Amino acid sequence: MGKLNIPVYLDYSATTPVDERVAKAMMECLTLQGNFGNPASRSHVFGWKAEDAVTEARANVANLIGANPKEIIWTSGATESDNLAIKGAAHFNARKGKHIITLKTEHKAVLDTCRQLESEGFEVTYLDPEDNGLVDITKLADAIREDTTLVSIMHVNNEIGVIQDIGAIGALTRSKKILLHVDAAQSPGKVAIDVDAMNIDLLSLCAHKVYGPKGIGALYVRRKPRVRIEAQIHGGGHERGMRSGTLATHQIVGMGESFRIAHEEMEAENARIEKLRDRLYDGLKDMEEVYVNGDLEQRIPGNLNISFNFVEGESLMMSLKDIAVSSGSACTSDSLEPSYVLRALGRNDELAHSSLRFTLGRFTTEEEVDFTIKEVRKAVEKLRDLSPLWDMFKDGVDLDTVQWAAH
Amino acid sequence: MAYSDKVIDHYENPRNVGKLDADSENVGTGMVGAPACGDVMRLQIQVDDNGVIEDAKFKTYGCGSAIASSSLVTEMVKGKTLDEAAAIKNMEIVEELALPPVKIHCSVLAEDAIAAAIEDIKAKREKKAESAA
């Protein structure tokens, strides 16, 4: 606490450092002296010990989401979980219907999986969120058809941090006897999940956003009423036949430990992070032409996605070389399109190009937040001095009336 | 993404930032790009009676490479005649700044900005010649 670590890491929604306690538990599952056995080995103590460790981790993951440990299927991460849930449920129920509903602001792991299903003859409805990023339940209800078998809606959006009302969505899908898949990669430790209260049938999780390791995730698959999915990876029949492959004990133990800590420390941690996030926002919000993207209330504590009008996101990040953040700007990715999430909110392209995502986490300090405020203000000021759009804005020109030569 | 040292230098110490009087008969203004595309360049040149560019200023909204390209262009055009400036090709900018393929459009935009500024000053001068005649 109280330290300024440069470069400052404010990209916790991209990934998190592994908690020391998690790393320690993982290291005990690797070497000859450690718990290195194959959890599937039934004939000796090495296998039994490894299986015990996996069982404990499974219980820790289940506990955080209010599930039974038997409902947890280990995967390589949330992307695989999304693929398994959506393809697995769509294929299994193909005889009942071939219509799926999802949201335009979903993660690519969901959107691209849906695109793949479209090429296989499924139909997908991509709902528009409201301007604050949230789903309108009546619009979702209106999109449901006779042949709809699956609704896939994310819990917490990775870019803008808004929290969908999964409870209300689950009540709707359950009453219509449609499966509900929830991508909850960003939720653990930040917002409570209860698969029973929320009527969730399938839920994707991963460890590396919760101070666990990369390369491990889980899919919750409801047992009562039983949800059946088609396996996507075939082999030795691990994980009740839904996902074959030798269990990676050290990764699983890491995920279990990170979820145990998240469950225990969630309340205090969120209160602390929210204060820091508010401090960051308070330090920036008096600047001219600054807009928060996404609902500020229905939002995880650590996320601040903000657009600095008339300043382009990538050049802003270039100025912030001592601060690690991400941008919804086009130039950060190989594509030249600005953030599809911000555009789905109805943000114009200019504001989408001008956005930065700050995500704070377990190791963020007040000093780091104060340093960030200072650096961001300096950079925005510098770039606005360089910006012809800022000049025009200051001269009272309405930029929407200018005829631009699009290129 | 890694930037070349030259891009970083122009980005951190941009040359010739500013604004010339767009209404002056010696000033040509070229504004190219669009906010929706993520870059807008405004290049202005001040031209003497012999058709030589004696000053150039820019302001750019865009990524680091777009800012560096326009900064570089202000240096390149100064002292050149309009015809010489018009002959500047975007690949010269790409080579000088070592721009990666994904950033070539920034250099194209800079070339367009020069052309637009030259066109503007030529139009002004033709108009003046017409009204004098």
Side-chain angles (χ1 to χ4, degrees):
Chain A
M1 282 286 280
K3 254 189 84 184
L4 174 60
N5 298 296
I6 290 182
V8 173
Y9 188 75
L10 291 180
D11 207 9
Y12 279 85
S13 280
T15 194
T16 56
V18 172
D19 191 290
E20 296 280 352
R21 294 166 283 183
V22 172
K24 186 169 169 288
M26 291 177 70
M27 283 187 279
E28 286 163 8
C29 300
L30 289 166
T31 61
L32 180 61
Q33 283 73 37
N35 192 355
F36 73 89
N38 186 335
S41 296
R42 294 291 156 87
S43 52
H44 50 69
V45 69
F46 297 91
W48 305 331
K49 261 183 71 185
E51 194 190 12
D52 285 349
V54 168
T55 300
E56 189 190 332
R58 210 186 285 277
N60 280 328
V61 171
N63 189 36
L64 188 78
I65 62 170
N68 184 305
K70 288 180 180 155
E71 297 172 308
I72 303 298
I73 306 296
W74 300 114
T75 66
S76 62
T79 293
E80 188 192 328
S81 299
D82 289 340
N83 272 265
L84 175 56
I86 296 169
K87 289 179 191 164
H91 286 152
F92 191 88
N93 294 297
R95 269 162 288 122
K96 268 197 255 170
K98 289 189 141 189
H99 180 238
I100 297 163
I101 301 171
T102 186
L103 190 62
K104 281 191 181 160
T105 50
E106 291 292 311
H107 192 271
K108 290 283 183 189
V110 168
L111 294 176
D112 256 31
T113 302
C114 288
R115 289 270 180 241
Q116 170 61 27
L117 288 172
E118 281 184 282
S119 74
E120 294 172 18
F122 288 83
E123 268 186 80
V124 182
T125 299
Y126 300 90
L127 289 177
D128 278 306
E130 301 304 295
D131 288 354
N132 60 4
L134 298 172
V135 176
D136 180 339
I137 293 285
T138 54
K139 287 183 186 164
L140 173 60
D142 289 346
I144 292 175
R145 310 191 318 207
E146 279 283 292
D147 59 342
T148 307
T149 57
L150 177 70
V151 169
S152 180
I153 303 281
M154 72 200 322
H155 193 196
V156 172
N157 183 272
N158 48 308
E159 286 195 29
I160 52 177
V162 299
I163 305 164
Q164 302 293 350
D165 186 353
I166 298 296
I169 294 168
L172 173 67
T173 49
R174 184 58 55 86
S175 74
K176 301 273 184 187
K177 295 195 168 61
I178 296 166
L179 293 179
L180 173 62
H181 166 249
V182 175
D183 177 353
Q186 298 281 352
S187 327
K190 301 182 186 82
V191 45
I193 306 170
D194 184 330
V195 288
D196 283 339
M198 294 171 163
N199 290 306
I200 296 167
D201 298 301
L202 297 152
L203 180 101
S204 300
L205 295 166
C206 70
H208 78 99
K209 316 275 193 194
V210 206
Y211 313 94
K214 295 162 190 64
I216 182 73
L219 179 66
Y220 159 81
V221 183
R222 175 171 291 283
R223 278 162 59 96
K224 283 177 194 164
R226 187 172 175 205
V227 171
R228 297 184 66 184
I229 55 175
E230 252 180 35
Q232 304 296 311
I233 294 181
H234 303 90
H238 305 74
E239 302 299 282
R240 297 194 287 135
M242 282 186 258
R243 204 282 193 177
S244 290
T246 297
L247 296 180
T249 314
H250 64 298
Q251 299 288 87
I252 289 169
V253 163
M255 180 157 176
E257 181 65 0
S258 69
F259 273 55
R260 183 192 67 75
I261 294 169
H263 188 62
E264 237 166 57
E265 301 184 354
M266 187 167 153
E267 209 176 312
E269 181 162 287
N270 281 335
R272 192 183 71 82
I273 291 172
E274 186 162 8
K275 255 190 178 164
L276 290 174
R277 194 269 316 269
D278 291 346
R279 186 183 181 92
L280 178 60
Y281 182 46
D282 287 343
L284 299 173
K285 70 180 178 194
D286 64 305
M287 298 171 76
E288 274 182 276
E289 290 292 305
V290 167
Y291 302 91
V292 173
N293 299 306
D295 197 276
L296 252 184
E297 297 303 317
Q298 286 300 310
R299 191 187 195 98
I300 56 163
N303 176 295
L304 184 65
N305 188 311
I306 195 165
S307 288
F308 301 92
N309 208 2
F310 314 118
V311 170
E312 195 272 339
E314 186 193 330
S315 57
L316 187 51
M317 288 202 299
M318 200 171 161
S319 280
L320 301 174
K321 54 181 186 295
D322 290 328
I323 301 166
V325 293
S326 77
S327 159
S329 156
C331 297
T332 53
S333 59
D334 289 337
S335 86
L336 291 174
E337 293 299 311
S339 159
Y340 66 92
V341 172
L342 297 185
R343 287 173 65 158
L345 303 192
R347 280 289 191 227
N348 63 29
D349 285 354
E350 290 95 301
L351 282 176
H353 274 296
S354 303
S355 72
L356 285 189
R357 180 188 73 175
F358 301 92
T359 44
L360 290 64
R362 185 169 290 169
F363 308 107
T364 306
T365 65
E366 215 171 86
E367 284 75 2
E368 290 173 349
V369 167
D370 291 347
F371 175 79
T372 301
I373 293 168
K374 207 177 72 201
E375 291 291 301
V376 169
R377 294 188 76 106
K378 202 165 72 185
V380 169
E381 204 170 298
K382 172 193 157 161
L383 289 167
R384 281 183 173 168
D385 281 344
L386 267 177
S387 169
L389 305 180
W390 180 248
D391 264 3
M392 293 165 82
F393 168 71
K394 282 284 160 186
D395 290 343
V397 177
D398 179 359
L399 294 180
D400 289 337
T401 64
V402 177
Q403 283 278 329
W404 300 103
H407 57 286
Chain B
M1 191 180 317
Y3 297 95
S4 71
D5 291 343
K6 281 190 176 158
V7 169
I8 292 171
D9 179 40
H10 275 280
Y11 174 77
E12 287 184 348
N13 312 293
R15 333 291 201 251
N16 307 306
V17 176
K19 198 173 169 183
L20 298 170
D21 177 11
D23 295 330
S24 159
E25 60 185 33
N26 293 326
V27 171
T29 300
M31 176 112 91
V32 294
C37 304
D39 31 35
V40 175
M41 274 181 200
R42 187 182 67 205
L43 176 70
Q44 294 183 300
I45 50 176
Q46 187 177 311
V47 184
D48 70 13
D49 293 340
N50 303 317
V52 174
I53 298 170
E54 51 186 11
D55 198 8
K57 296 276 183 213
F58 87 97
K59 282 203 179 187
T60 290
Y61 161 87
C63 66
S65 302
I67 291 171
S69 296
S70 32
S71 167
L72 174 66
V73 154
T74 58
E75 283 190 322
M76 289 169 85
V77 299
K78 268 201 216 179
K80 283 194 166 70
T81 64
L82 290 179
D83 287 345
E84 285 165 352
I88 294 172
K89 289 282 164 255
N90 79 296
M91 286 315 288
E92 296 173 47
I93 300 165
V94 171
E95 280 164 27
E96 176 67 19
L97 295 176
L99 296 181
V102 71
K103 295 297 184 187
I104 286 178
H105 71 277
C106 298
S107 69
V108 174
L109 204 59
E111 185 187 314
D112 291 350
I114 303 174
I118 291 173
E119 198 180 314
D120 184 50
I121 186 86
K122 281 190 170 166
K124 272 185 187 171
R125 296 212 157 158
E126 269 166 33
K127 213 170 149 194
K128 193 182 161 201
E130 272 170 30
S131 55

